[in-house]
Amino acid sequence: MSAVSAAVDDPETGRGPEPCSELRSAGLALRSVSASIGGRDLFINLNLSVGPGEIATVMGPSGAGKSALLSHICGVGDPDFSFGGSVALNGHDVGALPASQRRIGVLFQDALLFPHLSVGENIAFGLPTGLGRDERNARIAAALADAGLTGMGGRDPATLSGGQKARAALMRTLLAEPKAVLLDEPFSKLDAALRDKFRRFVFDHVRERALPTLLVTHDPADAAAAAGPVVELAPP
Amino acid sequence: MALCVFLGPVVAGLAGSILPSFGYFPALGGEAFSLAPWRALAAYPGLGAAAWFSFWTGLAATLLSLAAALIFTAAWRGTVWFKAFQRLVSPLLSVPHSAVALGMVFLLAPSGWAMRAVSPSLTGFERPPDLATAPDPFGIVYVACLVVKETPFLFLMILAALNQIPDSPLSASARTMGYRRTIAWLKAVAPLVLRQIRLPVLAVLAYSVSVVDVALILTPVTRPTLGVLVLRWFNDPDLATQFVAAAGACLQIGVVLAAGLVWKLGELGAGRLFRRWIASGDRSRGENGLRVGGFALASLVGVLGGFGLVVAALWSVAQRWRFPDVLPSAWSLRFWDRHAEALLQAAGVTLTVAAVAAALSVLLALACLENEKRRGLKPGNGALWLLYTPLLTPQIAFLFGAQVLLVTIGLDGAWVAVIWFHMLFVGPYVFLSLSGPYRKLDPRYRAAAVTLGATETQAFFRVVLPVLLRPVLVAAAVGVAVSVGQYLPTVFAGAGRFETLTTEAVALSAGGDRRLVAMLALSQSVLPFLGFLAAIMIPAWLYRDRRELSGFR
């Protein structure tokens, strides 16, 4: 693992909290975030800051609260979990905002393209309102081309291959113009050859747009490729 | 809020039945409490026989339906026959009770098709025999009709329960220990299933003990059930009889409770025997009998339910059909023509009430589910019991009191009232039908929508609703089917002014024009069927280019 610039207080070893001195205002910052479920602590005092274009990784076994953490950050939290601490994006606390106003995009383990919309309509779902029709169409066409899906805008998402679906899902997320991106194990269900390719595709895009990015994964290879700060969550 | 809409009339209705039964009913001059109504009730000749008849037929019908559904599932799950029955049963579920009852009359009456099939070759009858076959005084056809209607319902409830039970590994592991298929399923899976379907079974029991429309059609006038008696008293022009009716309605609740208690005790006893049977380690004894029996029961249900309506269809186009001919000797469509106006009018009323009640129920169910989702509520067992309350309470027992409520607020005989009372029964079924698919929808679709900038409301309308279009329409079709079949709620809330296909069919069943009754029964069955057809075809067409949603994979 290349760089460890963040730490989490491990409730088992009792390691003390590491004060986070350099909290940049640009990017995504977690300050003393803690999570518990049913009164049982999953982790406490998690501090992490992710700069623009940086890809931080959260690792840990199943049940450590990785996905719950992402849900909490983007604002679609499961009511079973309770969280403490604060989440700030570019210096503003987003805790009080509804998910729809946080501008934090998410890529899930499955592509989750909406089954009732065409591929193009899926990609257009996140486009900001107020664009002219030509502008909308141009952005959709560009995104389709970028994802290697030129001419497939009218297709049923169910007819795409796994890799095509994954790329379309990323395009959908990026066209919503997020200010940060969360990746919830989006590579884990792809087969090995596809995984490396898609990982590079995602990482290139978020770096190119200078998006602070937080990746949750089981796979050390993902963390190595991300080349950003790594946080290990303790087993539950 | 939704709770008030549904439980208000039930609670008010029960109060409105209990108070008059003790002589308190100011509108009719009863201002002092007394036991007179109960004494009058007890003095009524034949009361005990009627109550006992309701009691045992309800228990028998429930037991037979449960046995048929369970044994058939145990013996034939995973086979072609199982799938075939599943396909046959779903339409049967949507046929109103009264239509099934009328179909049984067409099939089993002294001049019915069954008698024609064996006459005169076997019986020697040249004219309909003077036998009371349907309606029969023993209640056999009556119980059979209830079994025909309730077996499909319990069968589908078992299937729903099996969605949450890993039944194939369980029964497979029992089979590796040498248990034959049926025995393995009964011993390893059935106890789990039975625990899950306890409420639906109780609903079937309460319904069977207190049903009125089927009893009106299939029991002789001289051999009424308690529910029929109570309805007669309610309709008695002598207002003093109302007090007796109220007492009878309370007795009906008592009979339902008694049946529930006996069922519960039987459950305990059967559980003990069952456990001993499991512990005995018997692996194959009874296997063949169970397989044959399960198959026979299931086919009997299918044949009795489906074939009666076929005979009804024959009657509706029969110009001349003498006994004992198996088929009409002259055919004609003119009877449809002659009754077209009356049929269309009744169908119009039926459809209007059904469509509005189903649509409102779907909206209400969606609102409840969406609210539950957004607030992160986890409905427990209590909520399920509340939902089942209108289904567990005998209709006749609270409808009278609820009608008093309607008269008080000046709504009796209004469209609003009929639709509201239909919703008491439509609502729970719609909710039960919709809640499964709704709660099963991957929550990440919603999360994907809101993180793409959609508000919760936009996510609901642009993602959740379109993805769930098919289950929403199916729930609406369930609602239409339930509403079309309602007899008592229409009669009571409509103050006798609403003539639906069902009320007409029941009213004309005794001694009415046979062809008209046949047409009514058919129309009753066709409306719900069309609803389900629409619920399947609309998404299939809209989503013809969307493989995951078209319903055809």
Side-chain angles (χ1 to χ4, degrees):
Chain A
M1 270 154 234
S2 47
V4 180
S5 75
V8 58
D9 185 36
D10 186 331
E12 293 204 333
T13 61
R15 185 152 50 94
E18 205 171 288
C20 219
S21 48
E22 36 134 23
L23 280 178
R24 289 162 292 190
S25 65
L28 183 68
L30 311 183
R31 283 171 214 153
S32 17
V33 172
S34 60
S36 63
I37 178 166
R40 188 170 56 85
D41 282 337
L42 287 169
F43 53 80
I44 55 169
N45 207 16
L46 173 68
N47 290 289
L48 177 65
S49 45
V50 192
E54 196 174 27
I55 303 172
T57 306
V58 174
M59 296 197 59
S62 308
K66 302 191 300 291
S67 289
L69 173 65
L70 290 200
S71 300
H72 173 63
I73 295 172
C74 68
V76 297
D78 183 330
D80 286 351
F81 292 86
S82 49
F83 281 87
S86 72
V87 178
L89 182 57
N90 298 336
H92 301 288
D93 192 321
V94 297
L97 291 176
S100 54
Q101 288 170 31
R102 291 195 186 186
R103 313 284 303 265
I104 300 179
V106 186
L107 210 52
F108 297 94
Q109 202 171 22
D110 301 281
L112 292 176
L113 296 175
F114 302 130
H116 61 298
L117 301 178
S118 69
V119 175
E121 287 165 343
N122 259 286
I123 288 179
F125 190 95
L127 275 177
T129 48
L131 298 176
R133 181 142 58 129
D134 292 342
E135 174 65 16
R136 283 177 77 85
N137 288 340
R139 289 201 195 181
I140 295 166
L144 284 170
D146 194 1
L149 294 168
T150 305
M152 295 190 183
R155 289 268 291 270
D156 176 5
T159 64
L160 298 187
S161 73
Q164 289 171 328
K165 281 183 198 166
R167 294 198 297 275
L170 177 68
M171 286 305 145
R172 182 175 71 173
T173 303
L174 293 180
L175 255 55
E177 299 180 351
K179 298 203 165 123
V181 169
L182 308 178
L183 307 172
D184 192 358
E185 306 197 48
F187 318 123
S188 63
K189 280 198 179 166
L190 303 173
D191 54 51
L194 201 55
R195 180 182 307 184
D196 288 346
K197 239 160 83 189
F198 182 56
R199 186 164 56 207
R200 211 168 315 123
F201 185 76
V202 173
F203 287 179
D204 287 350
H205 275 88
V206 296
R207 286 193 181 117
E208 187 186 317
R209 288 163 199 246
L211 292 170
T213 301
L214 187 57
L215 167 68
V216 152
T217 183
H218 279 105
D219 184 355
D222 287 345
V230 175
V231 173
E232 295 253 14
L233 294 184
Chain B
M1 164 63 192
L3 223 55
C4 291
V5 172
F6 285 103
L7 296 184
V10 180
V11 174
L14 286 176
S17 297
I18 293 170
L19 291 178
S21 80
F22 289 103
Y24 184 80
F25 196 178
L28 291 182
E31 283 172 351
F33 287 92
S34 85
L35 285 174
W38 285 95
R39 275 197 289 273
L41 178 71
Y44 187 86
L47 175 83
W52 167 246
F53 189 72
S54 292
F55 176 80
W56 81 257
T57 50
L59 275 172
T62 309
L63 188 64
L64 282 172
S65 311
L66 183 61
L70 202 65
I71 294 174
F72 180 74
T73 308
W76 297 92
R77 176 151 166 87
T79 66
V80 192
W81 292 107
F82 191 77
K83 290 226 173 66
F85 188 63
Q86 203 175 334
R87 252 179 233 132
L88 180 81
V89 135
S90 316
L92 200 54
L93 193 65
S94 70
V95 178
H97 278 83
S98 44
V100 172
L102 292 170
M104 309 257 311
V105 172
F106 280 108
L107 199 57
L108 301 173
S111 63
W113 195 87
M115 194 62 86
R116 287 161 188 266
V118 295
S119 295
S121 53
L122 292 180
T123 60
F125 293 140
E126 292 288 348
R127 57 184 60 200
D130 191 17
L131 290 174
T133 47
D136 69 306
F138 310 107
I140 295 168
V141 177
Y142 173 59
V143 170
C145 175
L146 291 174
V147 172
V148 165
K149 258 311 278 179
E150 301 307 339
T151 304
F153 173 67
L154 290 178
F155 179 70
L156 287 192
M157 288 292 137
I158 290 174
L159 283 183
L162 285 175
N163 276 336
Q164 299 165 27
I165 296 170
D167 73 316
S168 42
L170 279 174
S171 72
S173 75
R175 266 188 283 173
T176 61
M177 290 177 239
Y179 288 85
R180 304 260 321 260
R181 171 198 280 275
T182 311
I183 311 281
W185 196 91
L186 282 177
K187 289 191 172 181
V189 183
L192 303 173
V193 171
L194 286 171
R195 199 170 45 194
Q196 289 252 339
I197 61 169
R198 196 162 276 159
L199 268 174
V201 169
L202 284 181
V204 167
L205 182 66
Y207 184 89
S208 302
V209 171
S210 62
V211 63
V212 169
D213 52 354
V214 177
L216 281 173
I217 296 170
L218 285 179
T219 55
V221 182
T222 51
R223 180 94 202 68
T225 63
L226 180 57
V228 171
L229 275 186
V230 174
L231 182 64
R232 272 187 211 160
W233 292 326
F234 278 138
N235 289 335
D236 196 306
D238 178 4
L239 290 177
T241 317
Q242 297 293 317
F243 292 102
V244 184
C250 295
L251 181 63
Q252 178 74 72
I253 301 175
V255 173
V256 167
L257 287 177
L261 193 69
V262 168
W263 184 265
K264 186 80 206 162
L265 290 174
E267 209 177 86
L268 292 175
R272 191 164 293 172
L273 288 178
F274 202 83
R275 229 168 269 133
R276 196 179 297 167
W277 183 55
I278 292 178
S280 73
D282 260 348
R283 282 155 166 78
S284 59
R285 202 148 51 103
E287 167 79 16
N288 294 337
L290 285 169
R291 293 194 109 179
V292 174
F295 195 81
L297 278 172
S299 356
L300 202 62
V301 164
V303 168
L304 285 178
F307 208 66
L309 288 171
V310 173
V311 179
L314 288 178
W315 263 112
S316 74
V317 291
Q319 191 180 353
R320 195 168 63 242
W321 193 357
R322 284 192 338 222
F323 192 87
D325 295 351
V326 171
L327 286 175
S329 52
W331 309 78
S332 168
L333 280 174
R334 73 188 152 110
F335 301 103
W336 281 98
D337 207 40
R338 183 187 300 166
H339 295 296
E341 202 182 330
L343 281 174
L344 283 176
Q345 201 176 357
V349 175
T350 310
L351 195 60
T352 310
V353 173
V356 178
L360 288 177
S361 299
V362 167
L363 286 181
L364 212 55
L366 281 171
C368 287
L369 287 164
E370 182 68 11
N371 184 42
E372 166 191 312
K373 171 84 200 162
R374 288 196 197 175
R375 296 218 205 144
L377 303 175
K378 297 250 160 62
N381 253 342
L384 203 58
W385 271 94
L386 284 180
L387 190 64
Y388 265 93
T389 303
L391 310 181
L392 290 171
T393 318
Q395 288 193 350
I396 188 95
F398 71 87
L399 280 175
F400 168 71
Q403 191 192 15
V404 176
L405 172 77
L406 286 181
V407 175
T408 317
I409 54 179
L411 275 180
D412 61 316
W415 283 94
V416 183
V418 177
I419 289 165
W420 181 18
F421 274 38
H422 274 225
M423 281 177 69
L424 297 182
F425 307 97
V426 172
Y429 283 111
V430 165
F431 190 88
L432 289 173
S433 161
L434 194 55
S435 59
Y438 194 95
R439 290 176 184 148
K440 241 187 274 171
L441 179 74
D442 191 334
R444 294 176 308 166
Y445 278 124
R446 194 187 286 266
V450 295
T451 54
L452 288 169
T455 61
E456 290 272 359
T457 309
Q458 285 167 337
F460 175 74
F461 283 108
R462 290 179 62 193
V463 176
V464 176
L465 209 50
V467 171
L468 290 178
L469 180 65
R470 193 178 142 103
V472 165
L473 290 180
V474 167
V478 167
V480 167
V482 172
S483 167
V484 168
Q486 294 301 324
Y487 174 70
L488 280 184
T490 320
V491 171
F492 276 98
R497 290 203 282 275
F498 281 74
E499 292 182 349
T500 65
L501 293 171
T502 297
T503 60
E504 287 297 277
V506 175
L508 296 178
S509 64
D513 176 351
R514 198 183 284 218
R515 291 185 183 81
L516 181 55
V517 173
M519 286 181 245
L520 284 165
L522 281 178
S523 314
Q524 260 188 305
S525 316
V526 165
L527 269 190
F529 179 75
L530 291 179
F532 280 101
L533 200 65
I536 291 168
M537 293 315 287
I538 290 174
W541 186 77
L542 277 179
Y543 292 143
R544 59 195 175 283
D545 297 329
R546 299 284 177 263
R547 210 167 60 191
E548 279 190 34
L549 297 177
S550 67
F552 299 103
R553 293 223 206 175

